[in-house]
Amino acid sequence: MPKTKPKPRKTPSSSPQQTSFHHPGSLLSVNDLALEDIGHVLKLASVLETEDPLKRMKRLFKRRVSLLFYESSTRTRTSFELAAKQLGADTVLVSALSSSIEKGESLKDTGITLRALGAECIILRHPNSGAPYVLSRATGLPILNAGDGMHEHPSQALLDLRTILQHVRGAKAAGPVSETTLKGVTVTICGDIFHSRVARSNMLLLPRLGARVVLCGPSALLPETAADAGPGITIERNFDQALQQSQVVMMLRIQAERLAGLNLDLDEYKLRYQANAERIAAHASKALIMHPGPIIRGLEMTSEVADGPQSAIAEQVRNGVAIRMALLVRALTAKGKTSR
Amino acid sequence: MKPILVRGGRLIDPSSGVDSPRDILLKDSRVAAVDAPGKLNSAIRQDGAEVIEAKGLVVAPGLVDIHVHLREPGQGHKETIATGTAAAAAGGFTTVCAMPNTTPVNDSPEITRWMQSPERNAQVRVFPIAAATRGSMGEALTEYGALKAAGAVAVTDDGKPILGDAIMRETLIAASRTGLPVIQHAEDTRMTGGCSMNAGALAFRLGLRGMPVEAESSLVERDIRLVAELKDARPHLHVAHLSTARALDAVRRARRNGLHVTCEVTPHHFVLNEEAVGEYHTHAKMNPPLRSETDRQAMIEGIIEGAVDALATDHAPHAAHEKEQEFERAPNGITGLETALGLAIVWLHEKHKLPLSRVLALLSTQPAAVLNLKGRGSLAVGSFADVVLFDPKKQWIFHAADSKSRSKNTPFDGWKLTGKVALTISEGRIVYRA
Ligand SMILES: [Zn+2]
């Protein structure tokens, strides 16, 4: 069999593309946000974070927010719930295991039902890539994507961005951003890139601000084609070399059962890709170490690194609430093209 | 049935190479005469023929679609033989070959006959294509002789491939003995589990598992190897909905080696590429998936150079609620009978200057030849009175809501097409009038 594979040319088909209407307050993909919008969200997050709690409660007082979760999630769900509550909104949690979803109701019908019950915004976590688009088309409501399949987790990428900016820019973290804001910053994302929506959102978002994204992992978890997902993305399979270039290192969770499917044993994986104290000290002693959680300690990362001085993991969690407050305010106050 | 005289039109009959002003007389469900303009007017008095004025219209053999899913028996909420053939008539098709992935699977002479029964109220001729293996399970062959006697024109397990080497070899041998083509849906399903679009950077970015080009090409290559090994039996392999440059190359090589291998390409595979998936539009989800722009162009090139034998729609109706789902959960396929001619004229004739007679050959004469449909795809005297009249210049907007199909799952809703069907005649009966 000949192994020559033609490089795909990116010629859009000469056809009227179907364009769907999405509510301007929706966040389905990081690509929905112009740089200006990103700046607004970051600024709003900072304002809300330090705002007087009673004043903040009036922001979305008694507004109705539904959390529709088809997958279990502790961190993202709690983070969104806390964000909504701090803004005074009423939240309703609908999870797949305790609802008519279990009885076979479609996503479309569930969305229409929630809207009829008064939901003004739906936060969706779903195992299928693209599910938020289905929900958006069905309801016309602002939809916040809280993770869809292997596609995206945009609020995570924004909180990661805020975390990075706090370290790179310090006090100016809340200022406007441009395509050079992260110039000179290299971010390595290491682990199961293929299955990771966090990786996709970050690799699409960070290069737009000037960062270089280096992807690292074994080929079965990181296909070559990942480098074509957008500009500013490269692949480096040698973790030590990736670390040497990086100011920021994002480790991803590894599911042991996936390694088994790849004939890669845990020990071998750890040997090559684990963020441990020796490796970080040798190759990235100043880098910021991040992880979207949940961490499997002792697998992709050791406790020394997770709890060490370079770790930004707790900051990420804190930033999550601030970013999600900003996204909720944007979702529920957006009228024109962008949020205010 | 009253004879029909179609006069004043531009008759294009690829089967005889005619492309000139001709009148045509249809009588007793056959083509009775073709002659210079005015020469057949006596039929009006002698036979009491109904006159159809075809001024400004092309008069061509009724179109032949060798790959449709009519969903009966068993899936009447998507389509019935009556509604599917009404859509066919509206699209200019007078012959459709129905795939066996119904409920139950058409693997028996009984179902094959049931599909052709007058009670189905088909508007155009339906030729069933029977399952190659029982239940399309890929294990035991069906009764090819009995199926052929009942009216089946080919065997296939479409929707699924015939995967095992041994069973495919048996299929090819038995089919060649019976004189039936074997139609293969070429997809090595060992490479496509959980996949919902074409493999590549776009699939990666959308977080969807991708079907590699090799899933198609490796199975086409395997099948061709088997056909070559069975050279003495001269089996006929027909590759359904071919979508990749690599598989097309394999077909080209097989033909150069004198093997009886044919292939079809769908309009969506030469009009659209994977980018049509856009924001997870399920009307861009089909199997084989929309491919890269490189592959799309290879389909156009293959059609123009003659490596592709037929255009076929793979008309695959699905109810709205089935398509309004998460992309990965939505079923594969789109409707195609009412857009095929218009898309072929825009993309092949207008954009790529393929003569209209060649476009029509790909939509009638050649597919009829692929499946040995005698008397179809031709306006020669004695052929079936299957005729389409269309305005080759008329631009029109296709509205899915107006479709005669029970389902509206098409990515071409709102598209401007060229070539509007004015009238369709099936075996001497007017079955569609715009
Ligand atoms: Zn098929």
Side-chain angles (χ1 to χ4, degrees), chain B residues 386-407:
Chain B
D386 289 348
V387 187
V388 59
L389 277 62
F390 66 93
D391 182 337
K393 299 237 158 56
K394 180 154 178 170
Q395 293 193 324
W396 59 292
I397 306 284
F398 171 69
H399 294 292
D402 300 339
S403 169
K404 300 269 190 274
S405 170
R406 177 154 289 178
S407 295

Side-chain angles (χ1 to χ4, degrees), chain B residues 298-370:
Chain B
M299 295 306 103
I300 297 260
E301 283 156 26
I303 290 166
I304 288 170
E305 107 196 11
V308 172
D309 298 271
L311 306 184
T313 65
D314 194 5
H315 177 82
H318 291 292
H321 72 269
E322 296 169 316
K323 277 293 199 181
E324 284 171 344
Q325 289 197 77
E326 296 85 331
F327 193 84
E328 289 162 298
R329 296 177 64 169
N332 288 308
I334 58 169
T335 59
L337 285 162
E338 288 159 275
T339 45
L341 177 65
L343 290 170
I345 290 178
V346 173
W347 258 261
L348 301 176
H349 179 55
E350 292 181 344
K351 287 194 202 293
H352 290 275
K353 308 295 167 223
L354 192 68
L356 209 46
S357 60
R358 293 242 358 247
V359 172
L360 292 169
L362 285 158
L363 282 164
S364 61
T365 312
Q366 290 174 209
V370 166

